[in-house]
Amino acid sequence: MQVHPSALITGITGQDGAHLAEFLLGRGYVVHGVRLYSATDDTQRLRDILDHPCFHLHIGDLNDGGALARLIRDCAPNEIYNLAAQSHVHASFKVPEATAQINALGPLRLLEAVRVLGREHDIKFYQASSSEMFGNAPAPQNENTPFAPCSPYAAAKLYAYWLVRNYRDAYGMFACNGILFNHESALRGQEFVTQKIARGVAALASDRDAPVLALGNLNSRRDWGDARDYVRGMWMMLQRDTPDDYVLGTGQSHSVRDFVNAAFDAAGFSLTWAGIGVGETARCSRTGRLLVRIDPSLFRPTEVNNLIADATKARTILGWTPETDFQTLVRDMIVAAMDDVSHARRDDHWANGNNARFA
């Protein structure tokens, strides 16, 4: 009888959780996903795997250590991927305590549950760390770059990073930190700037009355990659014989302005930029239509200016390299966003027509 490896994924309803679950199911895993209780359906990203015989959903909460321990006991996973988080940097300034509870103490509860259950030598543990921990440390950043967090989000992630290393050293746990630089996909949450841009561009391309795209700091630079490449890297970390920490990123830096230009280009627009600072705008080069403006409320209290990954260690030891380039990533997100807009308009048309029939 074939024995399938099993994995427990927290944050299963998010971008990375959905991509990782699909990846692991494709490799013969039994996948247990942990989601917060919700009165509304939050499983849209999982719709293609919900009926898979080896996929199981559970209710859980990183604020409840007892529930986490019971889940680990009952699911008996070989691997745990902790992807759950308050994942929005800007929001962490508004809810710093909640961010710390989830992003810092949540991983502690998971690690303690593994230890108390006596599974510290049986379970491999992956912690989703973040390039935001580097803050404004000089680029490029690698595993030896000093951390300088610039937000409550980054500070909480750094606490969890050191916990993982502590539990690895103190208890011999196979625990890894994946220090992932920005990674995107069509499943990215709408609150993130890349998805905000993609959906905003799609709306502007399909509707002349769509609102102008409002953005914050256009000069902030990030190392953007494809989330599907990064979940493969998570898995590769846990397949090694010894645990370690790895930076994953493309090694290329692009500004928010670069992302905006690439997104509009993918939708068939050419932009003309004018003005400086909060007065900067972008218009369609052909028609003069206003497409982009600056909203000062979207600036962070402290800004991280330039993140670029040096993923030499991951390439050398794991054999990991990203497969999707920046232009392809942006184009894929625009295509998906435009498809969503098209479906929504068809649904609205059907609904309005249907209502008219029975008015």
Side-chain angles (χ1 to χ4, degrees), residues 69-332:
R70 289 189 293 274
L71 269 175
I72 295 169
R73 180 197 63 198
D74 295 343
C75 297
N78 304 111
E79 300 169 0
I80 294 176
Y81 296 86
N82 181 37
L83 310 184
Q86 190 297 99
S87 56
H88 200 263
V89 176
H90 191 271
S92 76
F93 287 97
K94 301 181 183 300
V95 288
E97 186 175 339
T99 299
Q101 282 289 342
I102 300 166
N103 295 9
L105 296 182
L108 171 62
R109 296 181 185 106
L110 277 171
L111 290 164
E112 266 296 279
V114 171
R115 187 185 70 82
V116 170
L117 289 169
R119 300 290 310 281
E120 63 266 35
H121 302 305
D122 305 326
I123 295 176
K124 293 185 174 183
F125 184 90
Y126 172 86
Q127 167 62 20
S129 289
S130 170
S131 60
E132 290 286 334
M133 300 186 309
F134 292 122
N136 284 314
Q141 296 95 5
N142 61 30
E143 294 82 0
N144 297 317
T145 301
F147 297 115
C150 292
S151 66
Y153 168 85
K157 281 289 187 179
L158 187 55
Y159 179 89
Y161 167 88
W162 284 114
L163 273 177
V164 167
R165 295 190 58 156
N166 180 249
Y167 273 66
R168 187 167 71 208
D169 294 340
Y171 305 116
M173 292 181 63
F174 193 111
C176 299
N177 286 296
I179 308 173
L180 273 55
F181 282 61
N182 292 65
H183 47 285
E184 319 295 321
S185 75
L187 300 185
R188 191 58 143 155
Q190 296 182 32
E191 69 274 20
F192 290 89
V193 68
T194 51
Q195 189 69 295
K196 180 179 180 180
I197 293 168
R199 295 179 71 87
V201 169
L204 288 161
S206 63
D207 182 359
R208 283 199 58 85
D209 295 325
V212 173
L213 180 60
L215 297 170
N217 183 5
L218 295 173
N219 299 315
S220 180
R221 303 185 68 87
R222 292 294 184 271
D223 182 332
W224 275 302
D226 190 304
R228 291 164 292 189
D229 289 332
Y230 289 65
V231 299
R232 173 169 47 87
M234 298 174 191
W235 174 78
M236 293 173 78
M237 292 180 203
L238 298 196
Q239 308 318 302
R240 299 289 301 172
D241 291 331
T242 55
D244 208 343
D245 308 318
Y246 298 91
V247 162
L248 297 186
T250 70
Q252 298 182 357
S253 174
H254 295 89
S255 67
V256 175
R257 189 193 315 275
D258 293 336
F259 201 104
V260 171
N261 284 328
F264 274 105
D265 181 68
F269 289 89
S270 176
L271 296 184
T272 299
W273 294 89
I276 58 173
V278 296
E280 188 171 14
T281 60
R283 295 179 179 271
C284 175
S285 300
R286 182 173 58 86
T287 66
R289 177 187 176 193
L290 180 63
L291 298 173
V292 183
R293 66 176 179 83
I294 303 301
D295 181 351
S297 72
L298 298 176
F299 283 80
R300 297 177 185 175
T302 53
E303 183 59 79
V304 175
N305 295 313
N306 192 19
L307 293 173
I308 310 174
D310 172 8
T312 301
K313 182 177 177 181
R315 287 198 307 271
T316 303
I317 297 177
L318 301 179
W320 178 87
T321 54
E323 297 176 355
T324 305
D325 63 31
F326 176 75
Q327 298 295 335
T328 301
L329 168 65
V330 177
R331 185 174 65 249
D332 288 350

